[in-house]
Amino acid sequence: MIFTRTAHPGMALGVQTKGGEEAKRGEQVQNSKEELIQKTLLENYQSYYRLAFSYVHQEADAMDIVQEGAYKAMRKACTLREEGFVDTWIYRIMINTAKKYLKKYRRTYEELDEDCMVVEEESVNLELWTIVDQLPVKEKTLIILRYYEDKTLMEIADILQENINTVKSRLYRTLEKLRRELL
Amino acid sequence: MEFNNEFYELEKSLSRAGADYKNISVPNDLEKKLEKVVKRAKRIHRFCIPAAAAAAMLTLVILPNTGAGVAYAMGNIPVVGRIFQAVTFRNYQYEDGRFIANVQIPQITLSDIGMETASSKASSELNETIKQVNFDIERMTEELVAEFEASAALGESYNDLEIHHETVTDNGRYFAIRLFIYQGAGSGTQSYQIYTIDKLSGRQIQLKDLFLEGSDFNTRLSENIREQMREAMAEDAGKAYWVDREENPGMNWKGLKEEQNFYFDADNNLVIAFDEYEVAPGYMGAQEFTVEKDVYEDLLK
């Protein structure tokens, strides 16, 4: 099917061939995907926020990231293929958004890291969490998803769009590194 | 546990340390803000075709150059003078599941109707300027299309490209065309590109060309815009701009750039356009602020 359209792209897409029926059905699918994404966002936003916070260590910025990720997820509803993977799909968008933030404001964050990253509270595991928190973003993400958010390796592979073996070996290396640091 | 007993103790401690991670407190108002964001996102109708209807298609249409005679006949404009027009001279559409492009590439045309074509210095300058602007538009848009095609060919992630144009100013003195560009590679960015031409001098102008030399128009305009940002945020808690941020102040908007995009609205007020991320977090999209004439009038050339 070929059509040319010169209308404003912000307007609803008028498919004027026999694709009209398909388009209508497509719209229903689209709406149900939007509903699902909305529901998942509002159920799991705390997890997305914590992950974002562990990247940027700033409340306002972490809020921005989650809001932006939510906005993108809603607008990209049509690219969600497998509804069963909605959670990992949103995680992926959130992580990409957070990384974009880090990249854009690297200098600001580096300055911040030097002067105001002070941890005050005392707790048995705080030391371990502090070490995890200081890992490079890639490794930190792995640990958070696996041990704090209880994701399976399969789910993590889907979130990061990596091969499961790559995920597994990276996790192995990260654990080795942590063990060395703890000794 | 993933690695048998090798990391047993460590994995156990990591799971326990999850309590500290979960201690990261989540702001109370985040849920409300998210509801607003979701609502806003729903209002924008995304152009999204069901996979079944989306047989790969690629159409490149070269539209006839709308010459003076045609413009005159079609618009039936009873005027004598110089007509500026932005016409779509190339239309590019691509649709293949995850890859969607809808691109309109404009050109500015100039026609003298009912009068002798002037041959003054300003006039030849104007022709040069229009040629240059058209060249810039073409080069920039073709680059974006090429980038899009390359990623579609590789099937990398998902990608949208939307470009459309609008004549935003056409008064006695100025002509401005605005290109809206949405590039959705991974996370997606929105931006504006505005070309503003001074009909009198025949030149493409920057913001500073409007104002008296040495005048601090930047502070005047920026302060007004900051004030508008504060008002907007006070009115609607769902809005955010990078102004007065105490934590991470390095992120605050620092004022207008030399090549800031601008045009004039129908009442001749100045409109300043910002790309996504320039003055606000990404979910706010690209932004425009109108600064009323009387704010800056005394600084004009």
Side-chain angles (χ1 to χ4, degrees):
Chain A
M1 191 185 74
I2 288 176
F3 64 83
T4 324
R5 190 168 51 94
T6 45
H8 190 281
M11 280 162 48
L13 182 67
V15 183
Q16 273 139 17
T17 61
K18 61 184 174 188
E21 277 298 301
E22 282 162 2
K24 202 181 267 174
R25 222 177 306 131
E27 208 167 287
Q28 284 162 8
V29 172
Q30 168 80 0
N31 286 341
S32 83
K33 278 185 186 169
E34 278 187 354
E35 294 303 317
L36 179 68
I37 292 165
Q38 180 175 358
K39 194 171 145 263
T40 314
L41 278 169
L42 293 171
E43 265 168 22
N44 300 348
Y45 75 93
Q46 299 192 327
S47 297
Y48 307 139
Y49 175 82
R50 290 195 181 100
L51 185 63
F53 187 89
S54 69
Y55 278 50
V56 295
H57 301 108
Q58 293 285 329
E59 178 179 306
D61 297 346
M63 297 245 292
D64 283 351
I65 290 166
V66 177
Q67 288 176 86
E68 183 175 344
Y71 178 77
K72 281 178 191 154
M74 291 300 294
R75 289 196 61 180
K76 292 205 156 286
C78 57
T79 63
L80 171 67
R81 291 182 147 180
E82 207 49 68
E83 300 202 352
F85 291 139
V86 62
D87 183 45
T88 55
W89 182 79
I90 295 175
Y91 260 112
R92 185 152 74 237
I93 293 175
M94 293 289 175
I95 289 173
N96 286 339
T97 308
K99 279 189 183 158
K100 197 163 145 188
Y101 242 76
L102 281 181
K103 211 161 130 192
K104 185 126 187 160
Y105 300 102
R106 181 167 291 151
R107 204 172 305 137
T108 332
Y109 287 120
E110 275 168 6
E111 284 163 16
L112 280 167
D113 278 350
E114 278 167 22
D115 37 79
C116 59
M117 262 200 51
V118 191
V119 188
E120 288 151 8
E121 282 166 73
E122 278 286 334
S123 129
V124 191
N125 284 305
L126 203 55
E127 196 193 351
L128 182 52
W129 162 237
T130 313
I131 294 169
V132 171
D133 202 25
Q134 281 161 3
L135 286 172
V137 163
K138 260 188 172 176
E139 299 172 358
K140 176 157 64 178
T141 308
L142 265 184
I143 298 289
I144 290 175
L145 291 174
R146 180 69 196 98
Y147 300 102
Y148 303 164
E149 295 293 348
D150 291 318
K151 300 285 174 219
T152 65
L153 287 181
M154 215 37 177
E155 286 168 329
I156 296 173
D158 187 54
I159 290 171
L160 304 176
Q161 294 282 284
E162 304 257 26
N163 182 298
I164 186 158
N165 290 323
T166 312
V167 172
K168 201 164 176 172
S169 60
R170 197 187 298 148
L171 183 59
Y172 185 90
R173 282 199 306 275
T174 308
L175 289 174
E176 270 189 327
K177 185 169 159 184
L178 279 175
R179 192 166 55 180
R180 268 201 312 277
E181 296 213 10
L182 285 170
L183 280 179
Chain B
M1 304 290 137
E2 314 299 343
F3 305 105
N4 303 323
N5 293 326
E6 193 182 350
F7 291 110
Y8 181 72
E9 284 302 322
L10 179 57
E11 290 195 300
K12 233 168 54 182
S13 318
L14 278 169
S15 296
R16 275 200 305 270
D20 289 315
Y21 176 71
K22 293 266 160 77
N23 262 341
I24 295 174
S25 66
V26 180
N28 289 328
D29 51 342
L30 182 56
E31 189 174 4
K32 278 228 160 56
K33 289 191 177 213
L34 276 178
E35 279 168 2
K36 283 199 171 171
V37 167
V38 165
K39 217 183 270 169
R40 184 160 53 221
K42 270 181 163 174
R43 271 207 303 270
I44 302 169
H45 202 110
R46 288 295 291 136
F47 115 94
C48 204
I49 307 174
M57 63 189 97
L58 170 62
T59 333
L60 183 65
V61 185
I62 312 277
L63 300 172
N65 231 330
T66 315
V70 182
Y72 183 55
M74 281 169 55
N76 202 11
I77 319 158
V79 287
V80 173
R82 185 157 270 180
I83 309 287
F84 280 72
Q85 271 192 310
V87 297
T88 301
F89 91 113
R90 199 170 293 161
N91 208 329
Y92 172 82
Q93 311 243 333
Y94 183 91
E95 162 64 49
D96 165 17
R98 298 182 301 165
F99 296 90
I100 303 167
N102 183 14
V103 173
Q104 292 161 17
I105 305 175
Q107 295 266 272
I108 299 170
T109 63
L110 184 62
S111 33
D112 289 325
I113 290 169
M115 65 177 216
E116 297 271 316
T117 299
S119 56
S120 64
K121 193 161 164 265
S123 187
S124 67
E125 180 112 36
L126 182 59
N127 281 320
E128 251 333 286
T129 300
I130 288 175
K131 233 161 81 186
Q132 185 59 47
V133 168
N134 285 341
F135 178 76
D136 287 348
I137 290 175
E138 194 174 349
R139 200 181 44 189
M140 177 189 62
T141 49
E142 306 258 291
E143 265 173 28
L144 290 170
V145 168
E147 231 173 80
F148 170 83
E149 285 186 324
S151 64
L154 290 168
E156 272 176 353
S157 70
Y158 38 81
N159 205 340
D160 298 342
L161 179 64
E162 264 177 54
I163 303 175
H164 48 94
H165 63 89
E166 195 184 338
T167 299
V168 281
T169 305
D170 189 8
N171 58 29
R173 179 74 193 267
Y174 301 107
F175 178 84
I177 173 174
R178 176 178 66 192
L179 267 66
F180 168 88
I181 302 159
Y182 175 80
Q183 225 188 338
S187 40
T189 41
Q190 267 178 34
S191 60
Y192 288 128
Q193 183 63 51
I194 298 172
Y195 300 89
T196 308
I197 296 170
D198 180 354
K199 295 180 178 177
L200 214 61
S201 71
R203 297 205 182 108
Q204 192 186 343
I205 49 165
Q206 291 193 324
L207 208 47
K208 67 170 190 315
D209 300 325
L210 299 174
F211 296 99
L212 292 167
E213 218 148 304
S215 67
D216 193 4
F217 66 91
N218 196 333
T219 308
R220 185 83 68 87
L221 299 175
S222 303
E223 261 321 306
N224 180 276
I225 291 169
R226 283 195 189 96
E227 207 40 57
Q228 292 189 45
M229 291 174 177
R230 290 180 191 117
E231 279 168 24
M233 287 193 289
E235 232 167 71
D236 180 351
K239 287 192 173 165
Y241 294 100
W242 285 329
V243 63
D244 307 330
R245 284 181 80 130
E246 280 163 18
E247 61 171 32
N248 207 350
M251 221 148 167
N252 280 332
W253 173 54
K254 294 187 181 60
L256 301 165
K257 299 179 299 192
E258 191 172 348
E259 66 281 13
Q260 196 74 47
N261 282 310
F262 70 96
Y263 62 91
F264 296 92
D265 71 8
D267 301 320
N268 263 326
N269 297 312
L270 191 59
V271 183
I272 309 278
F274 296 99
D275 290 346
E276 195 176 33
Y277 287 112
E278 212 175 332
V279 293
Y283 62 89
M284 295 287 291
Q287 293 279 325
E288 287 192 347
F289 286 92
T290 303
V291 183
E292 307 265 342
K293 236 184 332 223
D294 48 332
V295 171
Y296 57 82
E297 214 158 25
D298 59 311
L299 302 181
L300 287 174
K301 260 183 191 163

